[in-house]
Amino acid sequence: MIDIQDEGYFPSLEELCGYVRNPLFDRFCLEMKERFRCREKIEFSSCSWEPGWNIKFKKSGKNLCTLYPRESYFTVLVVIGAREKEAAELILPDCTDRLQEIYCQTKEGNGQRWLMVDIEDDDEVYRDMLRFIELRREAGKMHVRIDM
């Protein structure tokens, strides 16, 4: 098994999937690639908050989400910024109580909320996170159109 905090060893996506040992991780990565047409970028973070290997999914230079592999589950980080805030708060009442609680308890800083959500099962929380990622993608498209 790989050491998720060994900066000297660059793991493949397959090795990270083996580390997580949850088929939902594989499915999430595949869904990101197919649905959002983006590729993964495996990076090592040496920040004290969340050190170790993670997987970023970017589209047109915008980070849609970051995955933090864990043993038997994974954590998804989605940043809700000023562009996504209104849309996020419109769909929030339709989201699970758990996601509503995470959103409300996450402090806003510099106009952003950094939502870190543990994913273990194919449930409503999983689907809610995909909706929030969709908001990130759509906000990026609007930004590109405005800047053209």
Side-chain angles (χ1 to χ4, degrees), residues 99-111:
L99 196 61
Q100 289 179 41
E101 183 179 324
I102 290 169
Y103 186 90
C104 292
Q105 289 181 352
T106 302
K107 292 184 175 140
E108 193 171 315
N110 295 326

Side-chain angles (χ1 to χ4, degrees), residues 1-144:
M1 174 143 48
I2 63 169
D3 178 356
I4 204 75
Q5 296 189 349
D6 180 0
E7 187 176 5
Y9 179 76
F10 189 92
S12 67
L13 184 60
E14 291 75 24
E15 287 174 308
L16 291 170
C17 290
Y19 175 81
V20 174
R21 296 185 328 270
N22 183 331
L24 192 57
F25 182 78
D26 298 341
R27 193 167 112 212
F28 189 93
C29 291
L30 184 60
E31 187 149 10
M32 290 300 300
K33 291 177 190 180
E34 291 178 353
R35 179 174 172 178
F36 299 106
R37 290 188 169 87
C38 58
R39 297 184 53 91
E40 78 276 356
K41 183 174 182 184
I42 299 170
E43 294 183 350
F44 188 85
S45 172
S46 55
C47 75
S48 60
W49 184 52
E50 193 68 46
W53 290 100
N54 62 54
I55 302 105
K56 290 186 168 94
F57 285 94
K58 294 183 177 188
K59 179 74 174 176
S60 302
K62 181 177 184 132
N63 191 28
L64 297 179
C65 69
T66 303
L67 306 184
Y68 296 92
R70 317 286 192 204
E71 291 186 46
S72 77
Y73 71 100
F74 56 102
T75 300
V76 179
L77 166 64
V78 176
V79 178
I80 301 299
R83 291 190 192 121
E84 300 91 6
K85 183 178 179 177
E86 184 178 343
E89 291 179 357
L90 282 173
I91 67 168
L92 197 59
D94 295 331
C95 293
T96 60
D97 291 343
R98 181 171 160 225
L99 196 61
Q100 289 179 41
E101 183 179 324
I102 290 169
Y103 186 90
C104 292
Q105 289 181 352
T106 302
K107 292 184 175 140
E108 193 171 315
N110 295 326
Q112 299 178 327
R113 289 179 196 254
W114 290 43
L115 305 178
M116 303 245 347
V117 180
D118 293 336
I119 304 291
E120 299 177 62
D121 301 303
D122 180 6
D123 57 13
E124 290 300 317
V125 173
Y126 176 88
R127 286 180 279 289
D128 286 346
M129 289 308 293
L130 289 172
R131 290 173 72 191
F132 276 78
I133 292 166
E134 182 74 36
L135 292 177
R136 295 270 307 158
R137 181 179 74 164
E138 292 304 313
K141 284 181 180 179
M142 288 185 284
H143 179 66
V144 169

